[in-house]
Amino acid sequence: NTSRPLPTTIGRSSASTASAVVEEIAAYGALWFRPASGCFIGCNIDEAADPHEMEVLGSQSCSEDLPNNEPLASELELARRKFFGNWLDGLSTPLLWLYPLFFITAQILFFATTGDGVFGNATGGVVESMRLVTTGRAMRWHMFSASAMWVLGAGQFLLKPFRRGRLAWVHRTTGLAFLLLWFLVAGPTAAYLSLFTGNGPRQAQTMMAIFSAVSLETTVWAYYCFWRAWQVARIRANGAASISLHNKLMACGIFFTMTILYQRPLQLIVIGLRRLLLLLVASLDETLTWTRWAIEKLALTVLDHNVGLSTTTFFFGWFQLYLLDGPRSWVVSSMLGLRTDEEIREAFGSKEPGHWELMMWRLRLPVYICLRGIVTQGWTVDPDSRTDPS
């Protein structure tokens, strides 16, 4: 059921963060596994909602899922809106863009000096390397196109004087360039890299299938948000309100393209821990056979470069897979602050999703897995290689 809210600790004090996380995950799990009482198909569709419920549950039509007497729902509803509001406001401040620009600079410097990116160097050419046979060229195109796209995105949100008046054409032109970069280069290469990423020396087929699914999911969400943002700006059905909705949808799309950026520090920690364990093994006395074996096994399996990539990516992208109906889920409507039928219709193209649209969103995860199965020839081959097989 996609109307169930996501756990969050927005607004909590730092002292209670740990306990809050445990409580909210437990509460969320209880809600998720509760029987839907036959409401599964229509839970995200506004069938007979009280308008006042929009403020709390985004017009929830299945009372069995989150009864009105449960305070958890309203807390999470407000927390979701606060999170997205903070994200939207943050995009208009230089501070939020410092990290993306820092990462872009590091990638370009590493490429200029070594011919490979940050993680290609950190993993010895195993993960996300520009020297890989199948994905190396696509990785280079993706790195440069995504970097240019984020620079243009920073300009779109930070350079407010260019949005109106005589210089408004600058904002429109750079915005179009941003979308073209995503639709024609960054997006297709992201999908390609998601599918064809290698399994690594340990042939981690299962873990890399999870990585492919989450990465493809992020790409699909970004495509949808940017497409709808462009449509809203082009039609402008509600004047100034349409521009506000356009900004929200663009911010949502940028959020999905940047999930990989916020995954990077965690991946670096895994890589660093693996290297420390291998150095520890090398420093131990050879008589400590079992100790050396256990530490080395941990470093080469659990902390394998490809397993680490998959695990850290899933950590930042799991929530997307819970939204069964995709953007038609009420979680998304509540985060975007869509309170009227007119706003919903403008954002998504119609008040309610058609059966084909719902089916496509609900089948997307099996489609991702099937595509990965085709690429790996039934989970038997590695789609990428460190050396040229010829």
Side-chain angles (χ1 to χ4, degrees):
N1 188 322
T2 55
S3 62
R4 295 177 172 86
L6 298 175
T8 180
T9 57
I10 300 299
R12 306 271 187 173
S13 64
S14 58
S16 62
T17 298
S19 61
V21 169
V22 175
E23 292 174 3
E24 290 175 357
I25 289 178
Y28 179 76
L31 292 171
W32 180 259
F33 291 107
R34 178 183 298 167
S37 301
C39 299
F40 185 80
I41 297 299
C43 280
N44 70 316
I45 300 177
D46 182 9
E47 295 172 348
D50 184 333
H52 297 291
E53 292 178 354
M54 291 290 289
E55 184 64 24
V56 178
L57 294 178
S59 172
Q60 180 171 300
S61 59
C62 294
S63 58
E64 291 295 325
D65 294 336
L66 278 176
N68 292 331
N69 61 357
E70 293 193 17
L72 177 64
S74 59
E75 286 184 15
L76 292 175
E77 176 73 13
L78 295 175
R80 286 196 299 266
R81 293 183 184 178
K82 182 177 180 181
F83 167 77
F84 187 75
N86 290 340
W87 172 257
L88 184 61
D89 293 339
L91 289 173
S92 299
T93 61
L95 184 62
L96 187 142
W97 292 97
L98 287 180
Y99 172 57
L101 295 178
F102 168 79
F103 183 79
I104 291 170
T105 303
Q107 283 279 71
I108 293 175
L109 287 177
F110 268 85
F111 179 77
T113 55
T114 67
D116 208 345
V118 173
F119 287 89
N121 281 279
T123 62
V126 175
V127 169
E128 298 177 330
S129 173
M130 299 181 191
R131 297 192 178 100
L132 291 168
V133 174
T134 306
T135 59
R137 180 176 296 180
M139 182 65 70
R140 286 193 291 273
W141 278 96
H142 183 71
M143 184 190 78
F144 288 112
S145 61
S147 298
M149 187 184 75
W150 283 325
V151 171
L152 290 173
Q156 286 284 291
F157 280 91
L158 296 179
L159 302 179
K160 295 182 180 179
F162 291 92
R163 295 181 183 180
R164 299 179 179 85
R166 296 169 55 187
L167 297 177
W169 65 270
V170 177
H171 180 81
R172 291 193 296 269
T173 303
T174 55
L176 180 61
F178 176 98
L179 292 174
L180 288 175
L181 277 172
W182 172 256
F183 282 112
L184 300 180
V185 187
T189 52
Y192 178 85
L193 293 170
S194 299
L195 276 176
F196 287 88
T197 297
N199 299 320
R202 298 288 170 177
Q203 290 301 303
Q205 288 278 12
T206 302
M207 294 302 296
M208 295 316 295
I210 295 173
F211 168 81
S212 291
V214 175
S215 297
L216 284 171
E217 175 78 340
T218 302
T219 304
V220 168
W221 273 91
Y223 261 110
Y224 183 86
C225 291
F226 289 144
W227 170 255
R228 291 308 310 167
W230 178 70
Q231 290 284 62
V232 169
R234 183 177 65 86
I235 299 174
R236 293 194 189 184
N238 296 309
S242 296
I243 300 303
S244 177
L245 179 59
H246 165 77
N247 291 339
K248 291 180 180 180
L249 290 168
M250 287 296 294
C252 192
I254 290 174
F255 171 80
F256 286 110
T257 66
M258 284 189 177
T259 53
I260 194 67
L261 285 181
Y262 295 99
Q263 171 265 355
R264 294 311 193 192
L266 189 57
Q267 186 181 355
L268 277 177
I269 291 173
V270 173
I271 294 171
L273 183 58
R274 179 182 186 273
R275 184 162 298 181
L276 285 175
L277 290 179
L278 292 177
L279 290 174
L280 177 60
V281 170
S283 66
L284 290 175
D285 191 277
E286 293 185 358
T287 58
L288 302 173
T289 306
W290 286 103
T291 303
R292 288 168 55 92
W293 176 86
I295 296 176
E296 186 176 31
K297 194 72 172 177
L298 175 65
L300 297 180
T301 55
V302 177
L303 299 179
D304 173 76
H305 289 312
N306 291 78
V307 173
L309 171 65
S310 177
T311 304
T312 53
T313 301
F314 181 79
F315 180 80
F316 281 93
W318 65 269
F319 66 93
Q320 304 163 89
L321 301 176
Y322 274 98
L323 303 178
L324 181 63
D325 293 338
R328 292 294 192 160
S329 304
W330 285 113
V331 170
V332 178
S333 295
S334 65
M335 288 185 69
L336 293 176
L338 305 179
R339 303 180 182 180
T340 66
D341 292 343
E342 188 176 2
E343 290 175 334
I344 293 174
R345 186 179 293 107
E346 184 177 21
F348 304 134
S350 61
K351 175 187 172 183
E352 296 180 0
H355 293 295
W356 283 104
E357 181 183 355
L358 281 181
M359 185 181 70
M360 291 176 65
W361 280 109
R362 291 174 178 178
L363 291 178
R364 66 191 191 279
L365 180 57
V367 169
Y368 301 153
I369 300 300
C370 288
L371 288 174
R372 179 67 180 183
I374 293 172
V375 167
T376 57
Q377 298 180 26
W379 324 104
T380 59
V381 301
D382 189 338
D384 207 348
S385 174
R386 298 185 65 188
T387 57
D388 192 336
S390 62

